[in-house]
Amino acid sequence: MHMPAEGRAWEDVRAEMISRGTGDVAWRDGKTAVYIFNAGEDVHALQHEAYGMFMAENGLGPLAFPSLAQMEKDVISMALGLLGGPEGSTGAITSGGTDSITMAMKTARDFARAKSRSQGNHNIVIPRSGHLAFHKAAMLMDIEIRSVPLKTDGSYEADPAAMAAAIDANTIMMVGSAPNFPHGIIDPIAELGKVAEEKDVWLHVDACVGGYFAPFARMNGVAVPDFDFAIPAVKSMSADLHKYGYCAKGASTVLFRSAELYKHMPFTLSDWSGAPMKTPTLAGTRPGGAISAAWAVMNVLGVSGYREKQGLVCQTRQRIEDGVKALGFEVLGRPLLGLIAFRHPDADTLALYSAMRHRGWFTSFTVEPPSLHLMLSPKHAEVADDYLRDLAECLDAVRVGDAGPKVEARYS
Ligand SMILES: *Cc1c(COP(=O)(O)O)cnc(C)c1O
């Protein structure tokens, strides 16, 4: 496309955008279970309006926009309240989980340098199920990734003993997930905490997808094991607002046990031609709308709103769990939150995945072991029965080799 020489009418452009969108997954119908967190039209409208109110403002300028600075403080304080943050704990809003994880790693590295723990050849020790974002950040910072196999007992949990064995004097961080993305399983964070204490290593909990879910599941009576700052060895956490926080995209939180740790995060520069600058996160300009939308959604939903939504998601996960088991699927480990992965002993996963895609179900999948993967939203309560019915039919079709062509299962 070349830029039009003369501007086009907005009605035209708008119509074209709507028409382009018709080629996308029809996520509003609830048949998408990855990328989208559908908490209903009312939350969507709220995100939209609250984002628009501060869309032009810039979180980079706390002096110019004390409104955003205070909203960010409030969001961090609400986050720490939910995640066991002790007195003096702190953090920042970032653009997403990848930003939060990158900044946590940068902070841990600079902390290690300041403590002269290790000056080079840094490594981090993560479970094999740890998110791609750690690999990306490690690549950016020239940090070695030590990816440690999971336990082999069918729990799909990180293996604390194996992780301990991978740690050496150059290890600047170890990681547990709450939960991990591929299996939806919460790692044994308390045991990882013991390892971190013994080895004197920074423990980061990646609660990107669980940070705004697990606390409410626990309030609803789900037996969620300790996974947050309640464990003294946990130095930092990542928790995404734009996932189960049901906030507008472009918002996550990175949290630290103390200001002493946090101080290694912000980047400042006064030795250049321009005015002295301070950027707390990876971003320079920080979209005010992402901050204001997060603040608004958290205030409007409140604890009771989140409890209700996460309760619905847990119920739906349980219905799907029961339904797929009745069809002969094995559920990987014991999922407690909104993610679930399952496989069938005598059906090819990719064939099943493809057959479901042909019926309009857009989901992720897990590779180790090959499994179907769902990340559920409140909306899925309405379509769980349809999903199970389609899955039963697709299973039959796959078994008789009549499921249609396989889709390309890369980068889902
Ligand atoms: C989504 C996710 C991330 C990365 O977050 P983005 O917002 O996509 O950058 C990291 N870890 C886990 C467990 C996640 O689910």
Side-chain angles (χ1 to χ4, degrees):
M1 182 177 200
H2 292 286
M3 185 183 283
E6 302 292 335
R8 298 160 59 193
W10 164 234
E11 302 83 81
D12 248 26
V13 173
R14 187 173 182 279
E16 184 179 338
M17 289 167 78
I18 291 171
S19 123
R20 287 186 181 207
T22 58
D24 294 347
V25 289
W27 59 268
R28 286 179 180 81
D29 64 10
K31 291 180 85 171
T32 301
V34 59
Y35 303 134
I36 296 281
F37 293 81
N38 188 346
E41 280 304 318
D42 51 342
V43 177
H44 190 73
L46 165 63
Q47 289 175 359
H48 196 248
E49 190 177 350
Y51 197 105
M53 284 175 72
F54 286 83
M55 194 175 67
E57 282 78 357
N58 189 340
L60 178 60
L63 294 178
F65 307 111
S67 56
L68 290 176
Q70 189 58 47
M71 283 190 252
E72 178 174 16
K73 277 194 187 132
D74 291 350
V75 167
I76 294 302
S77 154
M78 288 189 266
L80 290 165
L82 291 168
L83 295 169
E87 189 66 32
S89 54
T90 183
I93 294 185
T94 70
S95 63
T98 301
D99 192 344
S100 291
I101 285 168
T102 303
M103 293 319 295
M105 273 173 66
K106 181 261 184 217
T107 307
R109 184 203 57 187
D110 289 357
F111 174 80
R113 277 185 178 154
K115 272 185 56 184
S116 323
R117 179 188 167 87
S118 163
Q119 297 308 316
N121 298 320
H122 301 123
N123 68 71
I124 67 164
V125 173
I126 77 168
R128 177 110 182 127
S129 55
H131 197 268
L132 161 149
F134 292 97
H135 294 256
K136 186 196 277 189
M139 188 269 277
L140 287 171
M141 288 184 270
D142 253 333
I143 291 171
E144 180 198 344
I145 283 271
R146 298 193 174 169
S147 174
V148 179
L150 305 180
K151 287 182 188 168
T152 52
D153 59 1
S155 66
Y156 296 91
E157 291 176 359
D159 182 342
M163 287 180 69
I167 291 169
D168 66 15
N170 290 324
T171 303
I172 55 156
M173 175 187 272
M174 61 183 292
V175 175
S177 310
N180 70 41
F181 184 80
H183 314 111
I185 299 299
I186 300 174
D187 287 326
I189 306 296
E191 284 175 70
L192 295 180
K194 284 189 197 127
V195 173
E197 251 158 29
E198 266 165 43
K199 304 272 183 184
D200 189 22
V201 168
W202 181 300
L203 174 58
H204 178 85
V205 173
D206 180 14
C208 275
V209 70
Y212 295 100
F213 194 123
F216 303 106
R218 183 182 271 162
M219 290 176 206
N220 287 339
V222 178
V224 178
D226 279 346
F227 69 97
D228 59 16
F229 288 113
I231 295 161
V234 174
K235 295 277 198 287
S236 58
M237 295 186 71
S238 43
D240 291 351
L241 296 159
H242 62 200
K243 288 184 180 155
Y244 285 110
Y246 304 121
C247 300
K249 284 191 174 59
S252 171
T253 46
V254 60
L255 307 167
F256 297 89
R257 176 168 289 281
S258 69
E260 189 59 26
L261 304 176
Y262 173 85
K263 75 170 190 218
H264 298 282
M265 186 167 89
F267 184 79
T268 53
L269 186 69
S270 45
D271 188 14
W272 73 308
S273 307
M277 276 180 75
K278 176 177 186 174
T279 59
T281 63
L282 202 53
T285 292
R286 304 166 81 205
I291 298 171
S292 60
W295 188 86
V297 170
M298 290 169 103
N299 273 284
V300 171
L301 291 186
V303 171
S304 62
Y306 281 104
R307 278 185 67 170
E308 190 215 309
K309 291 192 188 312
Q310 315 308 35
L312 190 59
V313 174
C314 280
Q315 276 170 28
T316 306
R317 194 210 68 245
Q318 191 63 55
R319 273 166 66 201
I320 289 185
E321 216 175 312
D322 296 345
V324 301
K325 280 181 182 160
L327 293 172
F329 284 85
E330 175 209 352
V331 172
L332 305 187
R334 284 192 51 226
L336 297 175
L337 307 176
L339 277 68
I340 180 170
F342 43 93
R343 59 173 172 175
H344 202 279
D346 41 57
D348 177 71
T349 295
L350 184 55
L352 259 181
Y353 176 79
S354 304
M356 291 298 277
R357 272 281 287 280
H358 292 311
R359 288 180 180 230
W361 296 100
F362 201 105
T363 73
S364 189
F365 56 90
T366 292
V367 172
E368 292 177 348
S371 314
L372 299 178
H373 180 283
L374 300 176
M375 186 158 67
L376 299 167
S377 301
K379 177 73 182 178
H380 291 120
E382 295 167 29
V383 299
D385 291 338
D386 296 346
Y387 179 82
L388 289 169
R389 192 202 53 235
D390 278 353
L391 187 63
E393 290 176 13
C394 288
L395 181 61
D396 287 342
V398 165
R399 279 165 151 170
V400 297
D402 188 20
K406 285 188 187 176
V407 298
E408 205 195 351
R410 294 182 64 197
Y411 312 122
S412 69

